[in-house]
Amino acid sequence: MSDSDDDMPQLSSQALAALQEFYNEQQQREDSKTTAKINNYSLGSIEENWQLSQFWYDTDTALCLADEAIRAAGKGGRIACVSAPSIYQKLKEQASKDFSACILEYDQRFSVYGTEYVFYDYNNPLNLPANLTAHSFDIVLADPPYLSEECLRKTAETIKYLTKGKILLCTEFLQLIRRV
């Protein structure tokens, strides 16, 4: 071993294991795309973008939250997903006529969902289209992109405007707790 090898940075065994897990998950997603046709609404049809602070819930968590939103909305209910695309995708996979859902999201890749997509920037919490009227959703499910006080406060303005009263507020911390 030369002196120059001593200066070579190395990852800890935990960091290497985490990196390997990430690569394995990425490979599994790629494999599932090639072996099964992914519809527009399935998890994985649009990948999370860490640059936009997007961290998808795993399938079980997203399904659990989607089911809770459906139950809370009731038959014929309206569900708004604010910065919660993985949950919106689970709602749409169910293809039910018993509820309607829309997604308010900054990432314009979600415009593929047509009229159910609403561009949303938490910095302008009430800059919403005219068809999203006050208190028009039976439940608002939100997962603010950042855990800052400013982001939470502004997202809360949007939630308060949209909801008839029911709120399901999530953060990535929920995902971490489920894994422990």
Side-chain angles (χ1 to χ4, degrees):
M1 181 186 280
S2 72
D3 288 339
S4 65
D5 290 340
D6 291 338
D7 295 335
M8 183 69 81
Q10 295 185 356
L11 294 173
S12 69
S13 60
Q14 293 90 351
L16 283 171
L19 184 60
Q20 187 59 50
E21 182 181 351
F22 169 78
Y23 286 142
N24 290 343
E25 289 174 0
Q26 194 174 37
Q27 185 61 49
Q28 286 176 346
R29 281 193 300 269
E30 289 302 315
D31 291 347
S32 70
K33 283 182 182 179
T34 58
T35 59
K37 183 181 176 191
I38 295 180
N39 69 43
N40 286 343
Y41 299 120
S42 67
L43 287 176
S45 61
I46 297 177
E47 297 291 330
E48 63 192 359
N49 181 340
W50 293 2
Q51 298 300 314
L52 294 175
S53 191
Q54 292 176 338
F55 304 96
W56 280 192
Y57 290 105
D58 65 30
T59 300
D60 291 340
T61 303
L63 184 59
C64 177
L65 292 169
D67 287 345
E68 182 59 27
I70 292 167
R71 188 194 63 71
K75 189 171 178 90
R78 293 186 73 206
I79 302 169
C81 295
V82 179
S83 304
S86 61
I87 300 164
Y88 171 79
Q89 288 176 319
K90 277 297 175 195
L91 288 168
K92 296 311 293 181
E93 281 179 11
Q94 297 189 30
S96 174
K97 303 214 184 303
D98 289 343
F99 67 89
S100 63
C102 77
I103 179 169
L104 289 81
E105 173 61 49
Y106 185 82
D107 186 347
Q108 295 185 15
R109 292 179 300 162
F110 291 93
S111 65
V112 299
Y113 297 132
T115 59
E116 293 180 354
Y117 167 78
V118 175
F119 175 78
Y120 175 72
D121 182 351
Y122 79 88
N123 290 300
N124 299 300
L126 298 179
N127 185 15
L128 302 170
N131 66 322
L132 295 185
T133 58
H135 314 294
S136 59
F137 288 90
D138 296 289
I139 185 167
V140 176
L141 190 148
D143 184 2
Y146 304 102
L147 294 176
S148 68
E149 180 182 342
E150 174 194 26
C151 180
L152 292 171
R153 185 173 22 82
K154 289 180 176 181
T155 302
E157 283 183 60
T158 305
I159 294 167
K160 185 177 178 183
Y161 176 80
L162 293 174
T163 189
K164 292 179 181 178
K166 295 178 185 173
I167 300 166
L168 184 52
L169 181 64
C170 312
T171 70
E172 182 60 22
F173 287 128
L174 174 65
Q175 179 71 8
L176 295 174
I177 291 169
R178 279 185 60 95
R179 288 185 181 170
V180 173

